[in-house]
Amino acid sequence: MTSLRALLRDPHFRRGARDMLDFAPGIAAWGLVTGVAMAKSGLSIPLAVLMTLTVYAGSAQLASLPLLAAGAPMWVVWAAAFCVNLRFVIFSAQWRVHMGHLSRGRRMAIGYLLADLNLIAFQRAWPGAKREPGQVRYIVGGIVTIWFTWQIPSLFGIFLSEAIPTQWGLGFAGTLAMLGLTYGLLNDRSTWTAAAVAGAAAVATFAMPLKLNIVVAIAAAVAAGLLIEQAERAGQRMKGGA
Amino acid sequence: MTDGWLGAVTILGLAVVTFIARNFFLFPDREVKIPAWLQRGLKVAPLAALAAVVVPEVIMTQGKLIATWQDARLPAVAAASLYYLWRPGVLGPLLAGLAVFLPLRLMWGW
């Protein structure tokens, strides 16, 4: 208990927690929407509670909802969620620099709870990708703030949605939220192409059983995105040579 | 709808997915270099997964393309997209979309 009290008084921990408060209104609203979307997509209340407390990854939760509603097989739901979560795979390589000295158990306990905003706040507070004392306590402070500002509104949204009639169609809020997330990832020709290919392929192969259209669409889009990039670089090389 | 025990197992599996993704390069004791092509592929995949889920949710009903313009989802997506062009983000476009979606749905039954 003394170590917990010491942590709560630690200046790095407190700074990590405080810096995250800047993002609190956004996190809370986003958690509320995800809570409502989970319950209104047809998930029972206990399952929605289980999801928010254990999955704890908003975009992946939202993306899995239509698949769960359609009764897709587990592995398709997991594969789609893993693809949405691939950004965390990249982030984990960046976190490694600052947490490599911890034991594996500690690294993974902290790693499990690291959201996108943790990295954004961290990179603001500690520019320069070097390991420095106090960083881990800063990270833990941010984790604690996000966890509560996300989970409380999310649970509130789950129970609140009992009072909202289903015919309002508020599950669509989840789709609208995903729309904004998708736009945020579009920044050049290869990403636009990938999105267009994924959307078109998902619609064209919608009749496939087991929601396999999602898997086909992702594979087609990644292939198209990589091809376009290759072609663009080849084009630049030719221009450079001329 | 996936529900009951099957639903609980699927959701706990999703928690494992979160755990694996966030710990991917934190798990090994030694540093691992990511090849450049893999890094690019990893960047496109999340976008592809989101687009593959979103597009059918917006333009299809019961496995068919929407056949009518009187569907609240289309104007809602248009409003959210225009808002995004004005101010990029997630919450603003979401609220703009809902501001169009809910009246159409509740008052005109679109």
Side-chain angles (χ1 to χ4, degrees), chain A residues 164-169, chain B residues 72 100-110:
Chain A
I164 305 172
T166 304
Q167 59 270 29
W168 285 27
Chain B
V100 172
F101 179 83
L102 282 177
L104 290 176
R105 175 56 76 97
L106 295 180
M107 286 192 251
W108 287 283
W110 278 24

Side-chain angles (χ1 to χ4, degrees), chain B residues 33-98:
Chain B
K33 282 263 169 280
I34 321 174
W37 65 268
L38 183 62
Q39 186 141 14
R40 282 193 303 277
L42 291 181
K43 277 201 178 132
V44 176
L47 168 67
L50 284 173
V53 172
V54 169
V55 175
E57 286 292 304
V58 171
I59 63 169
M60 296 178 92
T61 303
Q62 316 266 318
K64 295 223 165 72
L65 287 175
I66 304 178
T68 166
W69 286 107
Q70 296 184 330
D71 188 305
R73 289 176 294 169
L74 300 175
V77 164
S81 305
L82 286 175
Y83 192 98
Y84 186 92
L85 287 177
W86 180 48
R87 282 202 184 154
V90 172
L91 275 181
L94 165 70
L95 293 177
L98 280 186

Side-chain angles (χ1 to χ4, degrees), chain A residues 83-84 182 185-186 189-206 208 211-226 228, chain B residues 43-57 59-60:
Chain A
C83 284
V84 174
T182 308
L185 295 171
L186 296 171
R189 203 190 304 174
S190 64
T191 47
W192 272 101
T193 313
V197 170
V203 170
T205 59
F206 197 86
M208 285 181 84
K211 276 280 168 187
L212 283 175
N213 64 322
I214 302 294
V215 180
V216 171
I218 294 170
V222 170
L226 289 179
I228 293 270
Chain B
K43 277 201 178 132
V44 176
L47 168 67
L50 284 173
V53 172
V54 169
V55 175
E57 286 292 304
I59 63 169
M60 296 178 92

Side-chain angles (χ1 to χ4, degrees), chain A residues 11-98:
Chain A
H12 292 292
F13 174 89
R14 300 190 92 135
R15 183 167 154 237
R18 217 178 29 239
D19 282 358
M20 201 54 73
L21 284 179
D22 290 348
F23 299 105
I27 299 169
W30 177 226
L32 184 72
V33 169
T34 307
V36 172
M38 280 190 291
K40 281 294 150 201
S41 76
L43 222 51
S44 66
I45 291 201
L47 285 184
V49 170
L50 181 71
M51 184 182 252
T52 189
L53 292 179
T54 66
V55 182
Y56 189 51
S59 322
Q61 284 169 234
L62 288 178
S64 67
L65 293 178
L67 305 180
L68 289 170
M74 284 182 207
W75 73 268
V76 172
V77 181
W78 294 340
F82 191 72
C83 284
V84 174
N85 276 340
L86 277 174
R87 65 190 191 286
F88 292 132
V89 171
I90 301 172
F91 296 171
S92 73
Q94 287 165 280
W95 284 120
R96 209 198 144 82
V97 177
H98 311 284

Side-chain angles (χ1 to χ4, degrees), chain A residues 119-138:
Chain A
L119 191 64
I120 293 169
F122 183 84
Q123 287 175 337
R124 259 199 223 167
W126 307 84
K130 272 201 317 253
R131 177 146 76 84
E132 284 174 57
Q135 286 179 332
V136 173
R137 279 164 284 158
Y138 180 93

Side-chain angles (χ1 to χ4, degrees), chain B residues 17-31:
Chain B
V17 165
T18 303
F19 187 86
I20 292 175
R22 287 189 179 151
N23 278 315
F24 206 86
F25 289 107
L26 287 172
F27 179 81
D29 274 325
R30 263 191 235 158
E31 209 163 308

